[in-house]
């Protein structure tokens, strides 16, 4: 999910969703151990893959992030435990009544972003992290009348 969020920077989320299967295949099912081991040959192969976003900086960031992910996993026992530690395991529910109330970032995403950057992650600014936290269920921004709520 974090790879997809990083790839989304500067492009539409719809484009990323349409390419998700190609990303999953290109990045070996998002297996962090495999992605962390990518070399320049693999980067060049990915740069030729028309099914994904071919941005060298984003591809290299995915590799760097996989390496950092494995370190966090080792330190905390799981990346899940690390992410949820920021909210003590609680979902942040904004109880929105309209989509216009939804922020692009907040204090939590700024805190998580800063910590991820400190740990060596890239393409993890507070807006990307906010979207990531929404996507994995840490932040619930579904409007009160939304059927997905």
């Amino acid at each position: 999910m974090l790879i997809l969020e990083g790839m989304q920077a500067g492009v539409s989320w719809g484009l990323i969703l349409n390419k998700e299967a190609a990303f999953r295949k290109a990045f070996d099912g998002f297996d962090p151990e495999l992605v962390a081991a990518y070399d320049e040959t693999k980067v060049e192969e990915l740069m030729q893959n028309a099914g994904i976003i071919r941005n060298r900086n984003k591809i290299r960031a995915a590799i760097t992030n996989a390496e950092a992910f494995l370190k966090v996993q080792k330190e905390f026992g799981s990346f899940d435990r690390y992410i949820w530690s920021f909210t003590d395991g609680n979902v942040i529910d904004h109880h929105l009544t309209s989509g216009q109330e939804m922020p692009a970032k907040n204090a939590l995403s700024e805190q998580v972003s800063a910590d991820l950057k400190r740990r060596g992650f890239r393409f993890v600014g507070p807006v990307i992290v906010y979207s990531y936290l929404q996507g994995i269920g840490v932040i619930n921004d579904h409007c009160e009348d939304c059927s997905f709520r």
Side-chain angles (χ1 to χ4, degrees):
M1 186 68 175
L2 197 53
I3 287 175
L4 292 175
E5 290 292 351
M7 292 290 175
Q8 191 269 329
V11 299
S12 75
W13 186 238
L15 178 66
I16 298 301
L17 289 177
N18 288 335
K19 293 179 175 279
E20 182 178 359
F23 274 113
R24 188 172 302 282
K25 183 177 178 185
F27 284 89
D28 293 303
F30 301 126
D31 182 317
E33 290 182 4
L34 295 176
V35 176
Y38 287 178
D39 58 13
E40 281 306 307
T41 301
K42 182 64 174 185
V43 171
E44 291 308 318
E45 176 188 316
L46 291 167
M47 287 296 295
Q48 300 307 310
N49 186 334
I52 66 169
I53 303 298
R54 295 178 287 180
N55 179 303
R56 192 174 304 277
N57 290 332
K58 290 179 180 184
I59 290 169
R60 285 197 175 121
I63 298 165
T64 300
N65 290 355
E67 294 165 356
F69 179 94
L70 292 172
K71 289 176 186 172
V72 168
Q73 218 175 25
K74 186 175 182 180
E75 180 181 344
F76 287 83
S78 73
F79 196 78
D80 180 70
R81 188 173 293 137
Y82 163 73
I83 285 294
W84 284 99
S85 73
F86 288 95
T87 65
D88 294 324
N90 296 308
V91 172
I92 306 302
D93 191 340
H94 290 136
H95 298 283
L96 304 178
T97 57
S98 78
Q100 289 136 341
E101 296 175 317
M102 188 182 312
K105 64 182 179 176
N106 67 1
L108 174 62
S109 72
E110 289 173 356
Q111 178 187 11
V112 174
S113 170
D115 196 68
L116 288 168
K117 288 176 184 177
R118 184 181 63 77
R119 294 173 182 279
F121 286 80
R122 295 176 45 214
F123 279 91
V124 289
V127 174
I128 287 173
V129 170
Y130 191 89
S131 181
Y132 172 70
L133 295 173
Q134 286 175 309
I136 63 171
V138 173
I139 294 175
N140 180 357
D141 274 346
H142 289 281
C143 292
E144 290 290 329
D145 62 352
C146 176
S147 61
F148 290 105
R149 188 160 173 67

